[in-house]
């Protein structure tokens, strides 16, 4: 219970404050859009740039850690997609968007915040290693599969350019990429620039969590209850369970296991809705799963933290 109070609730109180502000009209939807644009296009990419540029790549890019997390994520994508197709009768395009909902954990806004509160700022290196390829992996997989499904009716030559354009126009990926350039090139960052980066990065998580509350208020649940609950089960239950099984089999360290399980146990992030919206597919399922999954994760994350050493 102490973990729930000291680690999880402060994060969700901040989200809830954003939700309340949007509900009561104290923070308009245009304000929410502006704040989220600041967070996702500027502050969070800078946070990722700082983390990746300072990351000890040789020590932290553990193939067992990344393999455990992403093998589980891939299986959850397949589970979501095939379940939507064969259990709920959705077409392949809808099924792909639903698979993406089951794939994309909120590794950044919730995962970092909860991991830091649970285990301290020094515990985040494994999270950053996962996050550094999270958007490229998830968007690459989701877009590639969606374009293959759409290419049944159009030219297959469009697939590769569409995947590359969508990935490299993403600010998060650009921030990660610049971080790798600085890290691998051993490029020194001037002191004034470093201080500015620290100031901007320090605002990323609080701003994004508050803004996320406003976004969740906008996309309230409407129908598709069985599909939404199925997505919540895959995201909150199956993904961390598979990650735990693969991590145990791979004998990853306790620190890496914590990073992998905490990240895997996060509810779908707002990117799940953005992907669905990009293709105009399963948008209600995506938005409602983000909202309901985030609410349910107050309990499920507490349970997973209780399992971890």
């Amino acid at each position: 219970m102490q973990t729930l109070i000291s680690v999880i609730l402060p994060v969700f109180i901040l989200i809830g404050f954003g939700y309340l502000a949007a509900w009561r009209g104290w923070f308009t939807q245009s304000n929410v859009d502006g704040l989220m644009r600041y967070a996702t296009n500027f502050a969070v990419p800078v946070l990722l740039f700082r983390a990746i540029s300072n990351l000890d790549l040789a020590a932290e890019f553990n193939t067992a850690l990344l393999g455990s997390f992403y093998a589980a994520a891939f299986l959850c994508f397949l589970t979501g997609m095939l379940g939507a197709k064969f259990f709920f009768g959705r077409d392949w395009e809808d099924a792909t968007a639903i698979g993406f909902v089951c794939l994309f954990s909120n590794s950044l806004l919730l995962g970092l915040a909860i991991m830091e509160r649970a285990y301290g700022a020094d515990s985040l290196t494994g999270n950053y290693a996962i996050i550094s390829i999270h958007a490229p992996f998830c968007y690459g997989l989701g877009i590639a599969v969606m374009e293959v499904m759409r290419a049944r009716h159009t030219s297959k030559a469009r697939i590769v350019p569409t995947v590359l354009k969508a990935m490299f126009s993403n600010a998060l990926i650009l921030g990660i990429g610049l971080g790798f350039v600085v890290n691998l090139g051993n490029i020194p960052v001037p002191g004034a620039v470093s201080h500015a980066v620290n100031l901007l990065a320090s605002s990323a998580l609080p701003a994004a969590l508050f803004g996320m509350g406003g976004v969740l208020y906008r996309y309230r649940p409407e129908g598709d209850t069985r599909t939404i609950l199925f997505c919540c089960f895959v995201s909150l239950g199956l993904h961390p369970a598979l990650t735990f099984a693969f991590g145990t089999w791979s004998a990853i360290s306790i620190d890496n296991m914590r990073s992998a399980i905490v990240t895997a146990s996060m509810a779908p992030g707002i990117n799940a809705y953005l992907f669905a919206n990009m293709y105009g597919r399963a948008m209600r399922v995506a938005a409602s799963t983000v909202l309901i999954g985030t609410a349910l994760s107050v309990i499920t994350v507490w349970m997973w933290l209780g399992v971890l050493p």
Side-chain angles (χ1 to χ4, degrees):
M1 183 60 70
Q2 182 62 31
T3 300
L4 178 65
I5 295 172
S6 63
V7 175
I8 301 173
L9 282 186
V11 173
F12 287 98
I13 287 173
L14 186 52
I15 295 172
F17 187 32
Y19 190 99
L20 175 65
W23 172 44
R24 300 302 299 171
W26 302 329
F27 207 66
T28 68
Q29 286 304 317
S30 62
N31 295 149
V32 172
D33 289 339
L35 181 60
M36 288 303 291
R37 189 171 297 114
Y38 162 76
T40 57
N41 290 348
F42 299 98
V44 172
V46 168
L47 173 69
L48 292 176
F49 164 79
R50 183 183 69 176
I52 300 302
S53 64
N54 294 321
L55 195 63
D56 185 347
L57 297 177
E60 299 304 334
F61 263 70
N62 184 305
T63 55
L65 163 66
L66 298 177
S68 299
F69 179 86
Y70 284 107
F74 179 73
L75 290 177
C76 288
F77 174 77
L78 289 181
T79 300
M81 183 172 69
L82 297 177
K85 175 64 177 176
F86 296 110
F87 293 161
F88 303 112
R90 311 295 284 251
D91 63 28
W92 280 115
E93 287 86 348
D94 267 18
T96 302
I98 291 169
F100 192 88
V101 172
C102 298
L103 167 70
F104 206 106
S105 303
N106 197 337
S107 60
L108 190 60
L109 306 187
L110 289 182
L112 286 182
I114 289 175
M115 186 71 181
E116 182 174 4
R117 290 197 61 80
Y119 301 109
D122 293 337
S123 69
L124 297 177
T125 51
N127 293 62
Y128 284 128
I130 292 171
I131 289 169
S132 69
I133 62 171
H134 193 233
F137 175 87
C138 294
Y139 272 105
L141 176 62
I143 292 170
V145 173
M146 181 66 84
E147 292 300 327
V148 167
M149 296 304 174
R150 297 174 78 193
R152 293 174 299 159
H153 314 296
T154 59
S155 170
K156 293 179 173 60
R158 296 176 55 248
I159 296 175
V160 173
T162 301
V163 171
L164 293 177
K165 180 181 178 181
M167 288 177 63
F168 290 100
S169 60
N170 186 301
L172 300 178
I173 294 177
L174 293 177
I176 290 168
L178 287 174
F180 276 118
V181 169
V182 170
N183 191 314
L184 296 174
N186 198 26
I187 300 172
V189 179
V193 174
S194 180
H195 287 309
V197 164
N198 290 336
L199 286 171
L200 192 57
S202 66
S203 71
L205 293 181
L209 290 172
F210 183 88
M212 184 180 171
V215 171
L216 293 179
Y217 171 72
R218 181 186 302 172
Y219 300 118
R220 298 180 293 280
E222 294 179 333
D224 291 317
T225 303
R226 291 171 61 240
T227 308
I228 293 164
L229 292 178
F230 170 75
C231 291
C232 289
F233 166 76
V234 174
S235 181
L236 302 178
L238 183 61
H239 191 181
L242 287 173
T243 302
F244 183 82
F246 291 146
T248 301
W249 179 71
S250 302
I252 63 177
S253 68
I254 292 175
D255 289 341
N256 282 337
M257 180 69 84
R258 288 171 175 170
S259 292
I261 296 298
V262 168
T263 306
S265 66
M266 294 300 105
I270 203 66
N271 280 288
Y273 173 78
L274 297 179
F275 181 86
N277 185 64
M278 182 166 65
Y279 288 104
R281 291 288 185 164
M283 291 183 290
R284 180 167 58 191
V285 171
S288 297
T289 302
V290 171
L291 176 60
I292 294 173
T294 301
L296 291 176
S297 65
V298 174
I299 302 301
T300 58
V301 170
W302 176 41
M303 294 171 59
W304 284 111
L305 287 176
V307 170
L308 291 171

